[in-house]
Amino acid sequence: MVVADMIDHGIFEQYIPAPASASDDPALAQLIMIEHPRAIFARRVDGRDWYELQRDGLMSGSLKVLVTDDGAVISAHTDASMLPAPVGLRVVEMDPGEVPPGIDWSIPLQWAGVRIVGGGIVPRSVDLSALKATLCTQIDAAAEAERARYITPGAGQAMTYQTKAAEALALAADHAPDPSAYPLLSAEIGITASDLAGVGAVVRAAYAAWQVIGAGIERARLAGKAAVQAASDEAEARAAAAVEWPAPPA
């Protein structure tokens, strides 16, 4: 076993190395600042620097885990240099074998069901109903963003599209159309097409294409929200929220 017991190195805070401070390592700080000018420095409450800890205070082969104060896992790796600076986070060392079955320690999302607290791994308490409501709201927003890829967003613009489509459909059945009865289509004569009939044909074709893609987006939105609501746990709910939107028509 690499680590007999889980080791909690405590919470780290960001700081700027000050060579005059006895708790800092001037040589190490200077080396890092020269080689990595954008490096972020972090130290724990006793002044121990994160890079110094990496150099001579962590065990080889252990799993280094960055967690929030309430134990949520942010990142994990056996190589501490692959982790971000743990600003505002706890650094915990553990044996990789302690990771619960089914969790890939390199994927933070897979830690969603557990927390690391008190030197152990415990089930994470999640308000599933609140999470589902949040995920459904996110799906609605994503659906609106998908629609905006095909039509200009906004209530006024949507009303214009609907009215224009209605005019185009009515025009198709009008054998003696009066241009004044189709103000939106008439406004496009000479721009979209050379005459009223041509404009109507273009608008009807665009409307037909939108009905297909719009229906696909709505189907995906509703199916995604239904899957989220049917989820039995957090991981399942988050997976269901990853909606696959329809591809643009060829």
Side-chain angles (χ1 to χ4, degrees), residues 35-191:
E35 295 187 355
H36 305 283
R38 293 188 178 182
I40 296 176
F41 290 84
R43 64 183 174 191
R44 61 189 186 193
V45 292
D46 65 358
R48 189 73 183 276
D49 179 85
W50 167 235
Y51 298 107
E52 179 188 348
L53 185 67
Q54 288 186 46
R55 183 183 62 182
D56 54 27
L58 299 176
M59 299 184 68
S60 175
S62 66
L63 182 62
K64 292 79 175 174
V65 189
L66 305 188
V67 300
T68 61
D69 196 36
D70 67 354
V73 175
I74 301 301
S75 187
H77 209 287
T78 52
D79 181 354
S81 67
M82 299 299 292
L83 297 171
V87 176
L89 301 172
R90 307 185 79 88
V91 176
V92 174
E93 275 190 279
M94 58 186 290
D95 190 308
E98 292 185 52
V99 178
I103 293 180
D104 181 342
W105 57 256
S106 66
I107 304 176
L109 183 60
Q110 292 198 10
W111 292 83
V114 299
R115 294 187 301 147
I116 297 179
V117 292
I121 299 176
V122 300
R124 182 182 177 194
S125 177
V126 175
D127 185 337
L128 192 56
S129 294
L131 174 64
K132 287 181 177 181
T134 297
L135 293 175
C136 284
T137 298
Q138 292 174 351
I139 289 175
D140 286 339
E144 187 61 26
E146 284 295 313
R147 295 187 191 100
R149 297 173 61 190
Y150 306 96
I151 60 174
T152 305
Q157 194 63 46
M159 185 177 295
T160 298
Y161 287 139
Q162 292 171 0
T163 304
K164 189 187 299 184
E167 286 187 6
L169 294 174
L171 178 64
D174 191 343
H175 299 295
D178 177 356
S180 65
Y182 305 95
L184 291 179
L185 298 184
S186 296
E188 295 191 25
I189 295 175
I191 300 173

